[in-house]
Amino acid sequence: MITKVSRRLAQQIVDTVKDVCGRDINFIAPSGTIFASTDKQRIGEFHEIGQRAAKIKTTIEVQSDGSFQGTQKGVNIPIFHQGILLAVIGISGPPEEVRKFGYLALRITDLLIREQELAAATRSRQEKIQYLVHSLIHCEETDPSFLENCLEEFQLSADSRFLVCCIRLNERYHPANISMFERDLRQLLQSVGIAFSCFEYPREYIALIPEDEQQKCKKRLMHFASIQKDILSAGLGTACNLPHLYHSYREALTSLGAAQFSEIPFCCFEELDIEILLNSINPNCQKDYLQKTVSGLNEDDFRLLQVYYDENMSLTNTGSRLFLHKNTLQYKLKRIAKITGYDPRIFRDAVSLYLGLKIWQKNSASR
């Protein structure tokens, strides 16, 4: 049973009622906020009489414009479904002319709500999974009773624990090939026993990994991502119970952001540290930081720094990997220090350069 009307359904209701009566229609939350209207400029405004009609649960007519805050003349009718107050419908116009449309508005609203409930009851298994995953990761319950039925059907409880995995195709992936990718992904998820997954517009796929299967699933997903590294990035959150699954989703998105500017196509939130901060830095601040630190370096300098940090600032190991004599390596590090004002051989300066390197990699990957 629907106990809360979505914005999409509310807009459908007001548009349908206006088609019949030709008057502007507002759909008003019990709080008094207009959250759907045939007059788009009024969406988000406060409607004093709408709030009052919801509070006393009785139709209120207004005889003149401006008599109350955010209210024009017209009739304001509380909408109930199965005894529950959902909202108030406001029909603009002289009350003696528009009150006759009140019953019609009630009937249209009731029919559209029942139509949505019927559609929910006849949804396919995959549509139910799609609704379930969307509701949990976004913490949205547009139809609590339907969500409860889905949880019961799939034998899930509030104590069930999952990790959210987010897979994002890059913008260069040709849309014509998406069906092949989805086939491969679906086969992978089925092979590791992941039953709950969905598509997130425009290029993301969400999978819920059972906590007790995370090691097996993580290994297979990492392998899949490494094979497909040219077309996708993936991020994994930590385990949460269902009421808090949106936390794992946010962590997965953070991990995904880290994956997109690193050389690793699959990142786990529990393995991140500095990347969590990097993803939250304002782009303008990133630009300022790059300008202050590493803007004068070239790609060879960045490559050297990457190997230098990979080898824990060991001159011997860095020189060995880059086939550089120790004196040549020292010269190059001194050159970086002269250009930037930060000496990579001094710990504090090395940290500053490391941050600059990571931001540069992130920005380079997004171009």
Side-chain angles (χ1 to χ4, degrees), residues 11 34 52 60 97 115 124 138 155-156 217 235 271 314:
Q11 193 62 47
I34 299 174
R52 186 178 303 182
I60 298 178
E97 294 181 17
E115 181 182 272
S124 69
H138 295 300
Q155 298 181 335
L156 297 171
C217 294
E271 298 170 2
S314 166

Side-chain angles (χ1 to χ4, degrees), residues 8-295:
R8 184 181 61 81
L9 178 57
Q11 193 62 47
Q12 183 183 6
I13 290 170
V14 297
D15 289 341
T16 303
V17 175
K18 183 177 181 178
D19 282 345
V20 176
C21 70
R23 298 284 185 171
D24 274 326
I25 311 296
N26 298 313
F27 206 87
I28 308 161
S31 64
T33 300
I34 299 174
F35 69 98
S37 176
T38 53
D39 181 356
K40 298 295 189 285
Q41 293 183 344
R42 301 202 63 190
I43 296 175
E45 292 183 356
F46 176 71
H47 195 291
E48 183 180 354
I49 288 300
Q51 183 190 54
R52 186 178 303 182
K55 184 175 182 180
I56 65 176
K57 299 180 180 180
T58 302
T59 297
I60 298 178
E61 296 186 353
V62 178
Q63 298 297 330
S64 61
D65 293 342
S67 302
F68 304 93
Q69 183 180 347
T71 303
Q72 298 177 358
K73 59 185 174 184
V75 295
N76 301 276
I77 311 160
I79 300 294
F80 297 88
H81 184 62
Q82 301 292 332
I84 297 174
L85 174 70
L86 297 181
V88 172
I89 281 189
I91 306 176
S92 300
E96 62 276 9
E97 294 181 17
V98 301
R99 70 168 65 99
K100 61 185 176 183
F101 299 119
Y103 177 74
L104 180 62
L106 292 174
R107 294 298 299 152
I108 289 174
T109 301
D110 186 59
L111 285 172
L112 290 175
I113 289 175
R114 290 182 182 277
E115 181 182 272
Q116 188 172 84
E117 287 182 331
L118 180 61
T122 58
R123 284 172 178 155
S124 69
R125 175 182 173 86
Q126 186 53 46
E127 287 173 324
K128 290 178 181 178
I129 289 175
Q130 183 96 359
Y131 176 83
L132 176 68
V133 175
H134 273 277
S135 297
L136 293 174
I137 66 173
H138 295 300
C139 201
E140 295 177 351
E141 296 184 12
T142 55
D143 191 346
S145 63
F146 180 65
L147 178 60
E148 186 177 339
N149 290 337
C150 290
L151 292 171
E152 183 177 348
E153 179 177 337
F154 296 124
Q155 298 181 335
L156 297 171
S157 70
D159 296 328
S160 300
R161 293 176 63 81
F162 291 87
L163 300 82
V164 176
C165 180
C166 185
I167 300 169
R168 180 180 295 163
L169 290 171
N170 65 39
E171 294 179 353
R172 298 183 301 276
Y173 188 69
H174 199 290
N177 299 324
I178 198 166
S179 60
M180 292 187 294
F181 170 78
E182 290 182 339
R183 178 202 61 195
D184 294 342
L185 178 61
R186 185 165 55 250
Q187 290 176 349
L188 170 68
L189 298 180
Q190 290 175 349
S191 70
V192 294
I194 295 177
F196 306 107
S197 63
C198 72
F199 174 72
E200 281 273 287
Y201 185 83
R203 304 185 317 277
E204 290 181 6
Y205 297 83
I206 308 297
L208 306 188
I209 300 174
E211 184 179 28
D212 55 359
E213 298 287 341
Q214 62 175 300
Q215 294 305 321
K216 176 183 71 173
C217 294
K218 177 181 172 182
K219 184 177 180 180
R220 293 287 300 278
L221 285 166
M222 288 179 68
H223 179 67
F224 179 79
S226 66
I227 294 174
Q228 307 275 8
K229 63 182 179 181
D230 292 332
I231 66 169
L232 64 80
S233 299
L236 183 67
T238 59
C240 295
N241 55 25
L242 291 187
H244 300 99
L245 203 61
Y246 60 95
H247 287 305
S248 185
Y249 176 57
R250 286 206 297 259
E251 293 170 349
L253 291 178
T254 298
S255 304
L256 182 61
Q260 288 183 311
F261 70 84
S262 72
E263 296 179 357
I264 303 172
F266 187 97
C267 285
C268 303
F269 186 81
E270 62 182 9
E271 298 170 2
L272 301 180
D273 37 53
I274 199 170
E275 291 84 0
I276 298 173
L277 294 176
L278 288 175
N279 279 330
S280 66
I281 299 175
N282 180 285
N284 289 330
C285 291
Q286 293 184 32
K287 183 178 179 180
D288 291 342
Y289 190 85
L290 287 175
Q291 187 64 36
K292 186 177 187 297
T293 55
V294 298
S295 62

